[in-house]
C-alpha cells in the first residue's frame, strides 16, 4: 500500500512538472517493466521493402472535403404564400451536431454565482476565485489536479482548471488591491454655528391725541351760522389785512420781548463769562499791572519808563478823538471817555464809553450822541451822574444805566453857542441840588443846577477881553469876548477858579464876581488847552497850550491871602515859575495824585512826558512814544487816583493805559523816608517839598523885579 | 328718512348759502389741511348720494398721498371719539349737512 501511494505521488508530481516530460519519463522509467513487444495494426503498411515503399508513397488518394452535410435533405419544398406554389428552399441547414456537453461553470460575478456563494456562506470573493471551479464541479474534481491518470476529458478539465487557476493568484492579488470601483465613501463635518444674539429698540410712537365730537344737523347748522356771522363782521370791518398786520406786529413784539427777556436773563452769566475770558486773555497784562516793576529802574537814577498795558478801542469810536477822560471816583477800575472831533470840518456824532480795566475788549456802557462829546465829568459822590458837554454847545447829564440823558439843555434854556470845552461838577448847593459848571468858546461860564426835573442855568461870568474893555472908552464899545477853553476849581476855596482862554490868557476868577477877574495872565501865545491846580499846594497851578509849552504858575500871594479882598496887583504873577517846551502842541497836562512835584503831559506827536521837579527841573524823567501809528495825536491823559497807571487818549479813538515805573513815583516816598500814614502830614510834606523848589525859582524872579 | 327730508326742506333755503367747506377742527399744517379739505370736497361732490364711496375715496387718496392708515367718516349724524396721530386730524363740515372727519392712526 505504502509503495503504491508513493508511486502515485511520484507520477502526480511528474505530470505536474510538464507534458513534455511524460514521454521521456515513461520511456526511461518503464523500461524495466515492459518488454519490447510492438503492437501493430493489421492494415499497417510494411515499409521494409524499398520499392513497395516508393510506389506506396507515390500513390495518390483524391478526396474532396465539403461542408455539406451528407445527411441533410436536398429537396425541401415549402409552400410559398406569396407565389402560391411550392417552392424548393435553397438553403438547407448543413449543421450536424455530433456531440454536446453542457458546461456547468458560472461566471463568478453573475447572479447565480452570488446566490450560490451566499448559500454556501462564503463571503470572500478571493477564496472563491481560487476554488470556485473545484468546489463546484465535484469533490473528485477538487482533487483532479492531484490525480493525473484521468481521462482526456478529465485532462482537459484539468487544463481548464489550470488555466483558470493560473490567473487565480493574480485574482488573489487583485482581490487585495482591487478596489470596488463603485466604492463610495461619505464624509461630513459640521461647521460651528455662530451664536445668535437678539437686539431690539423701540422707537417712540408718534404722538397721539384723542378727539371727540358729535355730528348733528343742528350743530352743523350752528357752526355755519356762526362762521357766516363772523364773515359778515369781518366784511363790515374790512380790516382783514389790517388785522393780519396787527397780529404780525403783535407777534413781533412778543418775540422781541421774549428775546429781550432771554438775553437779560443770561446777561449776568454772560458778563461773568466775558470777564473770565478776558481775565484769561489778558492775564499777562493783569500780572504786569499788579506786579511788574521795571527792574532797570534800579540802575537808572533819574529816568523812568512806562509800560503799556491794556489798550481800549471800540469799533464805532475808531474815527473819533478822545476828548476827555475821567476816572470813576468810586470804582477805581472804571473810567469814562468821551469821543468827538476837534476838527471843525469833520464834525459828526459823538460817543461816551465807560471802560473797566477788567474788560478791555468791550466797553461797559456805550452812549451814542448826535453831536460830538467834548468833555465829561463824573460826579464825585454820585458816581452814576455824568455831566457832558457837546460840540453843539449843549450840556447834558447822563445817568449810568439809562440810555437817554436825564437832562439836556436846548437853545431855549441857556445852551452855549459854541463847543463846551469843559464841565465840572461842584458840591451840591445849599438846597442840596446837584450842580455843575461849563466853559465854552462863547465866553460864558455857566452854572447848571439840576432841579427836580429840569436843568436851570445861571451865567457865572462872561469872559471879556481886558484889552477891548480898555478900548471901550474909544466909543466903539464892542465887547469882544474871550473864548474859554479850560477851567479848574480850587481844591480848597470853593469860589476860586481859573479859566484858560483861546487867546492864551489865564484868568483867575471868583464865583462871587461875575463882572471882573481876580487876576489875568497872558500865559501862552496860543490857546490854553488845560489848566490844573496842584493837588497839594494851594497856590500852584499848571497850564499847557498849543504853543508847545507847559508852564507852572503861582497865584500871587496877595490874591490867595486876601481872597475876599478881591483884586490886587496883577503884575505879581506875570512870569511862570517853570516853563517847559515839549516841541509840539501839548494836549493835556496833569499833576500826579501822589506827589506835588510830578506831572505828565501829552503832545500831538504821540509822546508823553513826565517830570518830577524835585529830581530834574529841566528834563523829563520819561519821554516815551505812546501812539502806535504815525500822526496820531495824543489828546488827553488822566492819572488813576489809586494805582500807578495813566490812561491816555488819542485822536483815533484809542485809550491806552500805561504803568509808570517805580522811578517815576517812588521819589516822594523816598523824600519822606517812612511814609507817614496821616494824609495831612503827607500833604504838608508835599507842600514843603514843592515850596522848597519854589524858593529856588522865586528868588531870581524877585531879583529880576 | 322721508320725514327728515321734508323737515330739511324748510331751512334749505337759508342753508343753501352755507354750502362751502367749513373746517371745524384741524391740527394739520396749512398745506396738508387745504389739500385734505379739497379732497373731501371733491369726494363729496363726486359721490353726493353715496357717503360710503365718498369716505372710501377720501381714505384711499389720503393713504396714497400721506402714507397708510387713514380713516374717514362721512355722514350727517354720528358721534365719535377717536385717537389720532397729532397733526393728522381734520374735522369739517361741507354742504350744509355733511360732516367729514379724517384722521390718521396706524
Amino acid at each position: 500500500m505504502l509503495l503504491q501511494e508513493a508511486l502515485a505521488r511520484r507520477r502526480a508530481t511528474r505530470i505536474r512538472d510538464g507534458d513534455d516530460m511524460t514521454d521521456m519519463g515513461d520511456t526511461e522509467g518503464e523500461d524495466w517493466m515492459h518488454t519490447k513487444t510492438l503492437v501493430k495494426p493489421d492494415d499497417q503498411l510494411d515499409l521494409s521493402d524499398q520499392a513497395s515503399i516508393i510506389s506506396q508513397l507515390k500513390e495518390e488518394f483524391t478526396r474532396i472535403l465539403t461542408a455539406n452535410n451528407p445527411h441533410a435533405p436536398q429537396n425541401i419544398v415549402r409552400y410559398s404564400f406569396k407565389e402560391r406554389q411550392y417552392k424548393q428552399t435553397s438553403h438547407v441547414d448543413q449543421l450536424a451536431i455530433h456531440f454536446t456537453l453542457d458546461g456547468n461553470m458560472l461566471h463568478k460575478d453573475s447572479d447565480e454565482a452570488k446566490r450560490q456563494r451566499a448559500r454556501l456562506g462564503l463571503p470572500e470573493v478571493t477564496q472563491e476565485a481560487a476554488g470556485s471551479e473545484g468546489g463546484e464541479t465535484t469533490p473528485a474534481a477538487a482533487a483532479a489536479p492531484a490525480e493525473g491518470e484521468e481521462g482526456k476529458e478529465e485532462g482537459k478539465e484539468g487544463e481548464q482548471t489550470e488555466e483558470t487557476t493560473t490567473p487565480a493568484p493574480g485574482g488573489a492579488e487583485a482581490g487585495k488591491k482591487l478596489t470596488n470601483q463603485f466604492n463610495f465613501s461619505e464624509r461630513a463635518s459640521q461647521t460651528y454655528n455662530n451664536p445668535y444674539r437678539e437686539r431690539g429698540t423701540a422707537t417712540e410712537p408718534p404722538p397721539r391725541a384723542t378727539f371727540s365730537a358729535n355730528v348733528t344737523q343742528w350743530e352743523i347748522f350752528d357752526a355755519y351760522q356762526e362762521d357766516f356771522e363772523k364773515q359778515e363782521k369781518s366784511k363790515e370791518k374790512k380790516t382783514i389785512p389790517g388785522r393780519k398786520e396787527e397780529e404780525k406786529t403783535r407777534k413781533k413784539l412778543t418775540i422781541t420781548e421774549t428775546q429781550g427777556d432771554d438775553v437779560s436773563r443770561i446777561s449776568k452769566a454772560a458778563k461773568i463769562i466775558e470777564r473770565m475770558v478776558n481775565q484769561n486773555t489778558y492775564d499777562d497784562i493783569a500780572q504786569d499791572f499788579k506786579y511788574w516793576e521795571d527792574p532797570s529802574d534800579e540802575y537808572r537814577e533819574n529816568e523812568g519808563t512806562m509800560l503799556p498795558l491794556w489798550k481800549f478801542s471800540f469799533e464805532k469810536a475808531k474815527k473819533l478823538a478822545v476828548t476827555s477822560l475821567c476816572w470813576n471816583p468810586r470804582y477805581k477800575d472804571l473810567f469814562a471817555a468821551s469821543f468827538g472831533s476837534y476838527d471843525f470840518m469833520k464834525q459828526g456824532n459823538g460817543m461816551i464809553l465807560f471802560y473797566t480795566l477788567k474788560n478791555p475788549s468791550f466797553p461797559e456802557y456805550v452812549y451814542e450822541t448826535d453831536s460830538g462829546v467834548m468833555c465829561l465829568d463824573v460826579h464825585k459822590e454820585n458816581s452814576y451822574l455824568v455831566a457832558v458837554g457837546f460840540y453843539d454847545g449843549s450840556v447834558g447829564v447822563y445817568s449810568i444805566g439809562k440810555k437817554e440823558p436825564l437832562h439836556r439843555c436846548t437853545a431855549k434854556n441857556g445852551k452855549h453857542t459854541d463847543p463846551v470845552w469843559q464841565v465840572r461838577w461842584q458840591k451840591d448847593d445849599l438846597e442840596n441840588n446837584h450842580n455843575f459848571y461849563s466853559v465854552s468858546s462863547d465866553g460864558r461860564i455857566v452854572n447848571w443846577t439840576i432841579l427836580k426835573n429840569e436843568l436851570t442855568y445861571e451865567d457865572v461870568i462872561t469872559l471879556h477881553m481886558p484889552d477891548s474893555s480898555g478900548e471901550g472908552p474909544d466909543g466903539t464899545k464892542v465887547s469882544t469876548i474871550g473864548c474859554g477853553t479850560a477851567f479848574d476849581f480850587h481844591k480848597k476855596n470853593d469860589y476860586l477858579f481859573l479859566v484858560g482862554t483861546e487867546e492864551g490868557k489865564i484868568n483867575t476868577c471868583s464865583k462871587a464876581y461875575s463882572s471882573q477877574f481876580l487876576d489875568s495872565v497872558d500865559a501862552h501865545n496860543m490857546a490854553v488847552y488845560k489848566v490844573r491846580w496842584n493837588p497839594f499846594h494851594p497856590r500852584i497851578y499848571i497850564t499847557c497850550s498849543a504853543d508847545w509849552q507847559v508852564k507852572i504858575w503861582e497865584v500871587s500871594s496877595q490874591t490867595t491871602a486876601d481872597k475876599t479882598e478881591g483884586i490886587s496887583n496883577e503884575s505879581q504873577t506875570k512870569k511862570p515859575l517853570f516853563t517847559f517846551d515839549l516841541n509840539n502842541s501839548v494836549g493835556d497836562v496833569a499833576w500826579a495824585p501822589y506827589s506835588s512835584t510830578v506831572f505828565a503831559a501829552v503832545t500831538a506827536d504821540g509822546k508823553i512826558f513826565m517830570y518830577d521837579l524835585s529830581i530834574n527841573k529841566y528834563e523829563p524823567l520819561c519821554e516815551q512814544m505812546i501812539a502806535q501809528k504815525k500822526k496820531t495825536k495824543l489828546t488827553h491823559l488822566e492819572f488813576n487816583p489809586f494805582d500807578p497807571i495813566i490812561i491816555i487818549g488819542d485822536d483815533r479813538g484809542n485809550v491806552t493805559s500805561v504803568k509808570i515805573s517805580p522811578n517815576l513815583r517812588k521819589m516822594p516816598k523816598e523824600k519822606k523816608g517812612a511814609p507817614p500814614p496821616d494824609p495831612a502830614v503827607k500833604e504838608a510834606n508835599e507842600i514843603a517839598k514843592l515850596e522848597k523848589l519854589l524858593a529856588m525859582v522865586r528868588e531870581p524872579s524877585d531879583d529880576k523885579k | 328718512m322721508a320725514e327728515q327730508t321734508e323737515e330739511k326742506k324748510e331751512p334749505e333755503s337759508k342753508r343753501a348759502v352755507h354750502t362751502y367747506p367749513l373746517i371745524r377742527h384741524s391740527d394739520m399744517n396749512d398745506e396738508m389741511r387745504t389739500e385734505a379739505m379739497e379732497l373731501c370736497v371733491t369726494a363729496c361732490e363726486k359721490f353726493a348720494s353715496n357717503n360710503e364711496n365718498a369716505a372710501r375715496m377720501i381714505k384711499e387718496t389720503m393713504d396714497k398721498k400721506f402714507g397708510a392708515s387713514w380713516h374717514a367718516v362721512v355722514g350727517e349724524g354720528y358721534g365719535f371719539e377717536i385717537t389720532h396721530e397729532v397733526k393728522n386730524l381734520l374735522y369739517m363740515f361741507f354742504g350744509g349737512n355733511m360732516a367729514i372727519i379724517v384722521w390718521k392712526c396706524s
Side-chain angles (χ1 to χ4, degrees):
Chain A
M1 275 295 283
L2 282 168
L3 185 75
Q4 277 182 356
E5 271 187 348
L7 278 172
R9 267 182 204 163
R10 254 176 72 185
R11 269 181 226 150
T13 49
R14 271 183 201 163
I15 288 165
R16 260 180 215 170
D17 283 348
D19 288 344
D20 49 341
M21 285 283 284
T22 46
D23 295 309
M24 291 283 283
D26 280 345
T27 50
E28 280 179 10
E30 288 169 11
D31 279 347
W32 57 279
M33 283 178 78
H34 296 285
T35 54
K36 242 188 179 177
T37 50
L38 294 168
V39 183
K40 287 183 184 176
D42 296 336
D43 57 340
Q44 191 181 340
L45 286 173
D46 192 8
L47 297 177
S48 53
D49 190 5
Q50 288 287 331
S52 62
I53 290 168
I54 294 163
S55 64
Q56 276 175 357
L57 285 172
K58 281 185 181 174
E59 194 181 352
E60 282 184 7
F61 296 90
T62 313
R63 194 159 291 182
I64 300 163
L65 295 175
T66 59
N68 291 337
N69 186 1
H71 303 291
Q74 307 259 326
N75 48 356
I76 297 171
V77 174
R78 292 219 174 119
Y79 184 76
S80 165
F81 290 94
K82 192 182 169 188
E83 291 166 36
R84 297 187 182 181
Q85 61 180 2
Y86 286 95
K87 281 204 86 176
Q88 194 176 354
T89 52
S90 56
H91 186 75
V92 177
D93 191 12
Q94 302 292 334
L95 179 69
I97 296 168
H98 300 283
F99 177 76
T100 17
L101 179 67
D102 287 331
N104 53 0
M105 287 190 296
L106 291 171
H107 193 270
K108 62 174 180 179
D109 286 341
S110 66
D111 289 346
E112 181 60 22
K114 279 180 186 168
R115 232 173 287 135
Q116 285 184 5
R117 217 179 297 143
R119 205 187 310 138
L120 288 170
L122 299 169
E124 283 181 29
V125 186
T126 47
Q127 270 194 353
E128 234 182 330
S132 60
E133 262 95 310
E136 260 143 60
T137 43
T138 46
E147 289 157 31
E149 66 265 20
E150 281 86 332
K152 269 198 175 176
E153 286 271 334
E154 293 245 330
K156 274 182 191 171
E157 269 204 353
E159 277 180 11
Q160 276 187 346
T161 55
E162 270 195 309
E163 277 170 20
T164 50
T165 46
T166 36
E173 278 169 31
K176 280 175 199 165
K177 274 188 198 171
L178 196 76
T179 51
N180 183 358
Q181 59 178 327
F182 300 108
N183 197 2
F184 170 73
S185 75
E186 185 178 336
R187 283 188 194 177
S189 67
Q190 188 80 34
T191 55
Y192 177 72
N193 286 330
N194 286 322
Y196 292 107
R197 185 181 293 171
E198 273 185 27
R199 187 171 285 182
T201 53
T203 57
E204 257 185 45
R208 292 182 174 185
T210 52
F211 175 63
S212 64
N214 278 304
V215 182
T216 48
Q217 286 304 308
W218 49 93
E219 283 220 7
I220 296 174
F221 181 81
D222 287 350
Y224 270 107
Q225 210 64 32
E226 200 182 311
D227 187 64
F228 183 70
E229 275 168 25
K230 252 189 210 169
Q231 282 187 356
E232 288 294 307
K233 271 186 189 175
S234 62
K235 271 179 195 170
E236 281 169 23
K237 281 183 182 173
K238 288 184 182 175
T239 54
I240 299 167
R243 212 190 262 168
K244 274 182 187 172
E245 275 171 23
E246 268 175 36
E247 275 174 20
K248 271 183 190 172
T249 49
R250 218 178 278 160
K251 270 182 192 173
K252 274 180 191 171
L253 277 177
T254 53
I255 286 165
T256 48
E257 273 168 25
T258 52
Q259 276 177 341
D261 281 345
D262 286 348
V263 171
S264 63
R265 223 178 293 145
I266 59 156
S267 66
K268 196 173 180 191
K271 194 165 196 169
I272 291 170
I273 294 292
E274 189 186 15
R275 289 279 173 97
M276 286 168 74
V277 169
N278 274 305
Q279 194 182 330
N280 286 342
T281 319
Y282 297 99
D283 181 53
D284 47 345
I285 296 182
Q287 298 286 343
D288 283 348
F289 161 69
K290 197 75 185 166
Y291 301 112
W292 192 85
E293 304 291 3
D294 195 343
S296 59
D297 267 22
E298 289 179 25
Y299 309 103
R300 291 180 301 204
E301 246 332 283
N302 298 332
E303 274 180 66
T305 55
M306 294 188 186
L307 173 74
L309 298 173
W310 304 277
K311 192 177 166 193
F312 304 87
S313 64
F314 186 54
E315 196 56 44
K316 287 180 179 173
K318 274 264 190 254
K319 289 176 181 170
L320 299 173
V322 177
T323 52
S324 70
L325 295 164
C326 187
W327 286 97
N328 190 299
R330 183 158 170 195
Y331 303 100
K332 59 182 184 178
D333 59 302
L334 188 70
F335 68 88
S338 65
F339 293 84
S341 173
Y342 284 120
D343 193 336
F344 177 75
M345 302 300 289
K346 288 180 188 166
Q347 283 303 320
N349 62 339
M351 198 168 282
I352 306 164
L353 301 178
F354 284 83
Y355 279 110
T356 170
L357 301 182
K358 292 170 184 166
N359 182 6
S361 58
F362 200 82
E364 287 292 294
Y365 301 99
V366 180
Y367 299 97
E368 287 183 74
T369 59
D370 48 2
S371 174
V373 184
M374 301 318 285
C375 51
L376 58 71
D377 192 31
V378 180
H379 198 277
K380 290 284 171 288
E381 279 89 34
N382 308 84
S383 59
Y384 59 91
L385 284 175
V386 184
V388 176
F390 293 96
Y391 193 84
D392 65 359
S394 62
V395 294
V397 178
Y398 280 83
S399 175
I400 292 180
K402 287 181 182 166
K403 275 278 135 194
E404 295 304 311
L406 290 181
H407 306 283
R408 179 142 182 201
C409 72
T410 58
K412 274 190 282 181
N413 52 2
K415 181 184 130 168
H416 290 282
T417 53
D418 275 319
V420 182
W421 292 112
Q422 204 167 0
V423 288
R424 186 62 59 89
W425 285 101
Q426 295 296 303
K427 279 180 190 158
D428 293 353
D429 63 12
L430 295 173
E431 289 150 11
N432 283 329
N433 291 319
H434 302 311
N435 66 94
F436 65 93
Y437 277 63
S438 68
V439 62
S440 164
S441 297
D442 65 358
R444 288 161 63 213
I445 290 169
V446 183
N447 177 21
W448 304 86
T449 310
I450 303 171
L451 297 175
K452 283 177 187 174
N453 285 324
E454 56 179 344
L455 198 60
T456 59
Y457 76 102
E458 184 194 354
D459 283 9
V460 174
I461 210 161
T462 308
L463 303 174
H464 53 265
M465 303 287 283
D467 303 347
S468 67
S469 67
E471 282 166 20
D474 209 29
T476 45
K477 191 65 179 173
V478 178
S479 63
T480 45
I481 48 155
C483 303
T485 53
F487 65 168
D488 195 22
F489 292 86
H490 197 270
K491 301 276 183 298
K492 299 270 167 50
N493 303 327
D494 263 349
Y495 54 86
L496 195 65
F497 66 97
L498 299 164
V499 180
T501 67
E502 222 162 85
E503 295 79 30
K505 286 193 190 317
I506 301 291
N507 299 320
T508 313
C509 306
S510 167
K511 291 177 188 173
Y513 304 101
S514 59
S515 55
Q516 283 176 298
F517 307 134
L518 298 184
D519 193 4
S520 185
V521 181
D522 284 330
H524 290 279
N525 299 319
M526 290 173 77
V528 176
Y529 281 160
K530 191 57 95 74
V531 52
R532 287 199 209 235
W533 289 101
N534 187 286
F536 297 98
H537 198 288
R539 294 205 311 274
I540 301 295
Y541 62 90
I542 193 165
T543 60
C544 72
S545 162
D547 67 357
W548 299 11
Q549 287 186 327
V550 172
K551 292 180 180 178
I552 296 175
W553 307 83
E554 183 181 22
V555 178
S556 60
S557 55
Q558 284 88 343
T559 354
T560 38
D562 308 323
K563 297 130 202 166
T564 43
E565 279 172 25
I567 319 150
S568 65
N569 54 344
E570 295 171 4
S571 61
Q572 191 78 49
T573 55
K574 288 294 181 188
K575 291 262 183 227
L577 298 175
F578 296 95
T579 303
F580 306 94
D581 198 312
L582 302 185
N583 288 326
N584 216 312
S585 171
V586 185
D588 198 0
V589 67
W591 293 100
Y594 49 81
S595 169
S596 60
T597 55
V598 177
F599 68 90
V602 288
T603 60
D605 58 352
K607 281 182 184 168
I608 183 166
F609 296 82
M610 198 149 174
Y611 287 85
D612 189 343
L613 300 177
S614 64
I615 292 171
N616 194 329
K617 292 192 285 288
Y618 308 105
E619 295 297 324
L621 293 192
C622 174
E623 177 185 340
Q624 196 163 325
M625 196 73 181
I626 295 296
Q628 285 168 347
K629 286 178 186 169
K630 277 188 176 178
K631 287 187 179 177
T632 305
K633 296 174 184 172
L634 299 184
T635 53
H636 287 277
L637 87 162
E638 202 72 41
F639 279 90
N640 186 295
F642 306 98
D643 293 312
I645 59 169
I646 305 175
I647 46 171
I648 302 150
D650 63 28
D651 66 348
R652 288 172 198 257
N654 297 316
V655 178
T656 314
S657 58
V658 294
K659 178 168 185 172
I660 47 186
S661 71
N663 266 6
L664 300 177
R665 60 191 154 91
K666 77 179 177 190
M667 301 311 162
K669 285 181 188 170
E670 204 176 60
K671 271 218 152 187
K672 280 177 264 165
D678 188 7
V681 179
K682 188 187 170 191
E683 195 179 322
N685 281 331
E686 290 293 337
I687 293 170
K689 185 172 76 175
L690 188 55
E691 200 65 48
K692 200 174 156 191
L693 279 166
L694 295 176
M696 291 159 65
V697 198
R698 267 185 213 137
E699 277 173 310
S701 64
D702 287 346
D703 286 346
K704 271 186 183 177
K705 280 178 184 176
Chain B
M1 273 300 284
E3 283 174 40
Q4 275 187 353
T5 46
E6 277 172 25
E7 278 174 27
K8 270 178 209 162
K9 272 178 186 173
E10 282 182 36
E12 199 81 78
S13 52
K14 280 184 196 170
R15 210 182 287 163
V17 190
H18 320 299
T19 53
Y20 55 91
L22 171 65
I23 291 176
R24 194 76 176 127
H25 179 86
S26 175
D27 60 353
M28 290 174 173
N29 57 41
D30 288 345
E31 197 182 328
M32 195 181 191
R33 180 165 55 214
T34 41
E35 197 162 331
M37 190 192 77
E38 277 164 16
L39 170 67
C40 290
V41 171
T42 331
C44 287
E45 280 171 354
K46 192 174 177 186
F47 301 103
S49 57
N50 192 339
N51 289 348
E52 196 185 331
N53 283 352
R56 173 170 293 149
M57 178 183 168
I58 292 167
K59 182 236 171 354
E60 280 169 2
T61 320
M62 289 301 278
D63 277 354
K64 267 183 216 163
K65 279 184 180 166
F66 300 106
S69 300
W70 283 88
H71 312 267
V73 177
V74 181
E76 293 183 8
Y78 55 90
F80 60 88
E81 167 140 354
I82 53 144
T83 302
H84 64 96
E85 282 178 23
V86 170
K87 301 271 182 196
N88 288 300
L89 172 75
L90 174 71
Y91 175 41
M92 58 173 279
F93 298 151
F94 174 67
N97 61 344
M98 202 71 84
I100 302 155
I101 178 156
V102 186
W103 78 97
K104 181 182 180 170
C105 183
S106 42

